[in-house]
Amino acid sequence: MKKWKQLIIGSTLLCVCTQIAYGQSRFDSLTTSLAQIVKKESLTGMSVVLVNSKKIIYEQNFGYADVAKKTKYSAQTIQVIGSVSKTFLAIALMKAMELGYFNLETKINGILPFKVENPGYPMIGITIRELSNHSSSILDNPAIFPDTYQFNEGFAAYDTPAYKVLQDMGYRKKVNGTSLKAFLQDYLSSNGKYYNKSNFADSEPGSSSHYSNIGSALAAYLIEIKSGMTYADFTEKYILKPLKMENSSWFLNAQKLNQYARHYYDLEQSFPFYECITYPDGGLRTSTTDLSKYLIALINGYHGNQSLLRKESYQTMFTPQFSKDNPPKGISLVNRNKGIFWNLYTNGTIGHDGDDPGVSSFLFFNPVTRRGGVFLCDRYLADKSEIIALLAKYTK
């Protein structure tokens, strides 16, 4: 997940729960439990969808996408999904390999127009595999990374006190007017304006695990170099359009403002809308309806359907990256291993979670039962484990 400080505000719940479809009695207790969590955690709005390999089997929505306008949160509500976006990067990376651009063992300096090396280990090259399993030694420097969030104060109304909280936490938008390529070069190249030895771990590439949004965005930039397309266009061509994810995109669109969920600080105050310079690591805007199409494709792809990727690519993407006998430092394999950007959980499910200011999300599927689920909410939820456990239970 994207690392950002937990926000806690005591407030009174303002939540309306509306069942949209698939209200089979066997799911009634799930709905009741989810409603209790929404109340307990003071969530502003949330959507939950469960699928099997063919269709949506459960859909439930709670609260508001826009409190002031009393716009209810629905399965068509669009919001940014944080690091669940990295699962799309996994698909894109495997597609790039199918197109012959590179393989997992390719050294990134053989592709990049600028050199990237850990200053403590300059002779050890970083591989694409290490970017994809977060062992590259590239770090999200907290003195710089929050400034890559681009808050658009003019896009829609927001609450100044909520915005000030973020600014006080380091979200100051001091990195602006730059592209993904330019930022990565400025951050990772030794002569870049944001370069610092603290941008790298004090360990050689491949030897330790450090969750890296910037390392993830660098993998997307490699796809841009080899394809001659922006990452946004590449994913549109190979993922979003084939799956008819018509309400999914990487950037703000004023024409869709009424479909967007606000990013809430508490039950009333919202942050400004934002984009990220390193958008491939967490910037996809979508809905649970669109994500249900994606989940169904993943479930079927795992079992041999080749509509997005070849069978071998799915197998590679979901292969555990770390040996139980000799994992890299900094990672525990008690609860999960890593695939190519995916989390391989020890309960048998495969998924990823996401967090950002005013955002929490989780997407997963169970390969054995061929069921999966997703939830999105428009307020940061510090502990998603209760919801995740419920969804896993109802997809067994």
Side-chain angles (χ1 to χ4, degrees):
M1 70 188 72
K2 288 199 174 184
K3 298 178 180 177
W4 77 296
K5 192 175 180 181
Q6 180 178 354
L7 305 176
I8 302 177
I9 282 205
S11 50
T12 303
L13 177 68
L14 179 62
C15 175
V16 174
C17 173
T18 304
Q19 186 165 347
I20 306 299
Y22 303 104
Q24 297 98 322
S25 59
R26 67 191 183 94
F27 285 126
D28 286 349
S29 60
L30 172 59
T31 300
T32 299
S33 297
L34 289 171
Q36 290 170 347
I37 294 171
V38 168
K39 182 176 181 179
K40 179 179 67 174
E41 300 292 344
S42 296
L43 300 181
T44 317
M46 183 173 75
S47 180
V48 175
V49 165
L50 303 181
V51 304
N52 60 23
S53 61
K54 296 180 180 180
K55 64 182 181 180
I56 293 173
I57 58 174
Y58 174 84
E59 176 187 314
Q60 192 75 22
N61 303 287
F62 306 83
Y64 296 105
D66 189 319
V67 172
K69 294 182 178 179
K70 303 297 182 187
T71 304
K72 294 179 181 179
Y73 204 115
S74 78
Q76 287 75 46
T77 296
I78 299 169
Q79 74 165 66
V80 68
I81 61 173
S83 287
V84 171
S85 305
K86 291 183 178 70
T87 69
F88 289 79
L89 179 52
I91 299 286
L93 199 66
M94 300 313 298
K95 175 57 70 174
M97 287 190 279
E98 290 183 357
L99 294 169
Y101 296 161
F102 42 66
N103 61 53
L104 288 172
E105 306 312 325
T106 299
K107 298 292 179 75
I108 63 173
N109 282 337
I111 300 175
L112 292 170
F114 52 88
K115 183 179 287 187
V116 176
E117 59 185 26
N118 184 317
Y121 304 88
M123 303 305 293
I124 301 178
I126 296 170
T127 67
I128 292 174
R129 184 186 297 276
E130 289 161 351
L131 293 179
S132 73
N133 64 26
H134 299 287
S135 66
S136 70
S137 78
I138 296 172
L139 302 180
D140 297 336
N141 188 338
I144 302 169
F145 182 67
D147 288 327
T148 63
Y149 286 68
Q150 304 296 287
F151 293 91
N152 189 335
E153 294 93 341
F155 188 76
Y158 63 91
D159 294 284
T160 301
Y163 190 21
K164 188 176 186 305
V165 170
L166 287 181
Q167 292 170 322
D168 290 345
M169 290 166 55
Y171 292 80
R172 298 155 296 184
K173 206 172 69 170
K174 289 186 177 180
V175 178
N176 53 39
T178 189
S179 64
L180 174 64
K181 172 187 175 181
F183 172 74
L184 290 172
Q185 183 166 353
D186 279 336
Y187 186 89
L188 296 168
S189 178
S190 60
N191 60 356
K193 64 172 129 177
Y194 306 119
Y195 180 82
N196 191 295
K197 290 184 179 180
S198 297
N199 298 351
F200 296 86
D202 186 19
S203 55
E204 67 181 71
S207 69
S208 61
S209 176
H210 302 273
Y211 190 89
S212 177
N213 292 292
I214 292 174
S216 303
L218 184 60
Y221 176 53
L222 297 176
I223 296 173
E224 291 193 341
I225 295 171
K226 299 298 290 186
S227 69
M229 305 167 64
T230 67
Y231 176 74
D233 286 344
F234 188 88
T235 52
E236 178 77 17
K237 178 178 179 178
Y238 290 109
I239 306 174
L240 303 182
K241 279 190 176 179
L243 296 181
K244 298 182 179 179
M245 296 177 67
E246 297 171 354
N247 285 312
S248 300
S249 64
W250 295 96
F251 306 111
L252 288 167
N253 181 346
Q255 295 180 345
K256 292 185 178 290
L257 176 58
N258 289 336
Q259 294 176 256
Y260 287 165
R262 301 298 177 110
H263 307 305
Y264 282 95
Y265 173 45
D266 57 23
L267 285 170
E268 295 182 353
Q269 297 185 88
S270 63
F271 304 122
F273 283 94
Y274 54 85
E275 297 173 341
C276 295
I277 294 171
T278 60
Y279 71 91
D281 65 45
L284 187 65
R285 295 178 184 278
T286 186
S287 66
T288 54
T289 292
D290 271 11
L291 288 173
S292 69
K293 300 174 184 178
Y294 179 58
L295 264 175
I296 290 168
L298 289 170
I299 292 168
N300 289 314
Y302 184 96
H303 291 281
N305 181 287
Q306 301 187 53
S307 60
L308 287 181
L309 296 173
R310 298 171 189 162
K311 180 179 180 180
E312 296 78 10
S313 296
Y314 281 106
Q315 291 173 341
T316 299
M317 187 167 64
F318 296 131
T319 296
Q321 293 293 294
F322 302 135
S323 163
K324 293 182 180 180
D325 297 327
N326 189 32
K329 296 176 182 177
I331 188 171
S332 170
L333 302 185
V334 172
N335 295 316
R336 66 181 181 183
N337 206 316
K338 295 295 296 185
I340 303 303
F341 285 112
W342 286 91
N343 293 323
L344 311 178
Y345 299 103
T346 51
N347 67 359
T349 63
I350 298 171
H352 210 294
D353 64 338
D355 292 296
D356 261 328
V359 172
S360 280
S361 60
F362 184 69
L363 177 144
F364 78 103
F365 68 98
N366 186 322
V368 175
T369 64
R370 304 193 186 200
R371 295 179 180 177
V374 59
F375 89 84
L376 304 179
C377 66
D378 54 6
R379 187 180 176 200
Y380 172 65
L381 177 60
D383 184 359
K384 296 184 285 290
S385 61
E386 193 173 2
I387 294 178
I388 291 171
L390 273 172
L391 302 189
K393 174 183 175 181
Y394 281 87
T395 51
K396 285 184 178 179

